[in-house]
Amino acid sequence: MSSDDVSRRAFMRTAAGATAAAGAATATAGTAAAQEVEPDWPSAAVGNVGSYTDARGQDSVTVSVGAGDQGLAFDPTLVWVDEGTTVTWEWTGAGGSHNVQTVEGPAGLDSGAPVGEEGYTYEYETSSEDAGITHYHCVPHTAIGMHGGLAVGGDVATVEVGGGGSSNAVFVPDAARALGIATFIAMVSTLGLAFVFMKYGGTITGQDQA
């Protein structure tokens, strides 16, 4: 076997390995991106602040009532919890009198009459009957956007983070998209070099036996 053949085979093995590694990196980035989802909240539930907390795996979580610059928000506004989690709404004392009441959804949230006292709390322990997404609000301030959302359990409708579509669609962030483009360019360059080497290998290596 000539030295040309040995060089060509070694080059092709290297090119194949590089291409496979690049493809694997791109696939991993795409999979990671597809796993970032959150509940498909009703648009009105996003409220004045729109903050979100994934509290699954926690026994309890606290939501501030009367948050934001004007004291007219829930924070976190949107919370995802497991069945059996205790959710505590705690009043900040800002923004006047507030309450917590379900607008739509399976959880029957109702803290009673509006309260303005700082430190006042309302607790609700979720159960299997609350599974799904519940949109709630503060009755006195519903018209000015004091709304929130509570998602319970794993069987809820979800969307890709920042994608705004259904969870069946694949959302690719900018970093992953850039990686894909760079990988494609690298693959094309490698294959181009391989073609040139195979066709003109003897001349390039200085071993042309004409």
Side-chain angles (χ1 to χ4, degrees):
M1 180 182 297
S2 69
S3 59
D4 280 357
D5 291 335
V6 173
S7 297
R8 289 170 184 168
R9 291 188 179 185
F11 184 86
M12 290 306 296
R13 283 197 298 269
T14 301
T19 301
T26 302
T28 299
T31 299
Q35 293 174 345
E36 298 180 5
V37 299
E38 69 176 67
D40 187 10
W41 306 104
S43 58
V46 174
N48 290 331
V49 172
S51 55
Y52 165 63
T53 295
D54 184 346
R56 289 175 297 170
Q58 300 180 28
D59 294 331
S60 62
V61 63
T62 299
V63 178
S64 294
V65 179
D69 295 338
Q70 306 298 320
L72 299 172
F74 297 104
D75 188 25
T77 312
L78 310 167
V79 181
W80 193 359
V81 301
D82 296 319
E83 297 174 6
T85 299
T86 298
V87 183
T88 300
W89 283 266
E90 183 174 356
W91 274 241
T92 66
S97 295
H98 308 294
N99 67 348
V100 175
Q101 188 176 93
T102 293
V103 175
E104 184 178 12
L109 306 177
D110 189 354
S111 65
V115 176
E117 177 187 352
E118 180 181 359
Y120 180 82
T121 60
Y122 165 60
E123 291 187 358
Y124 186 90
E125 183 176 348
T126 63
S127 68
S128 59
E129 296 180 355
D130 304 316
I133 298 174
T134 296
H135 167 205
Y136 66 90
H137 67 161
C138 165
V139 175
H141 302 113
T142 186
I144 52 179
M146 191 167 177
H147 293 255
L150 176 66
V152 179
D155 188 18
V156 299
T158 59
V159 293
E160 300 294 340
V161 175
S166 68
S167 58
N168 291 328
V170 177
F171 169 69
V172 182
D174 291 342
R177 187 179 299 110
L179 175 61
I181 293 172
T183 300
F184 176 77
I185 293 173
M187 291 172 64
V188 171
S189 299
T190 300
L191 292 175
L193 287 172
F195 174 79
V196 172
F197 190 91
M198 291 177 66
K199 188 171 183 179
Y200 306 106
T203 302
I204 293 174
T205 59
Q207 298 175 4
D208 191 3
Q209 303 287 331

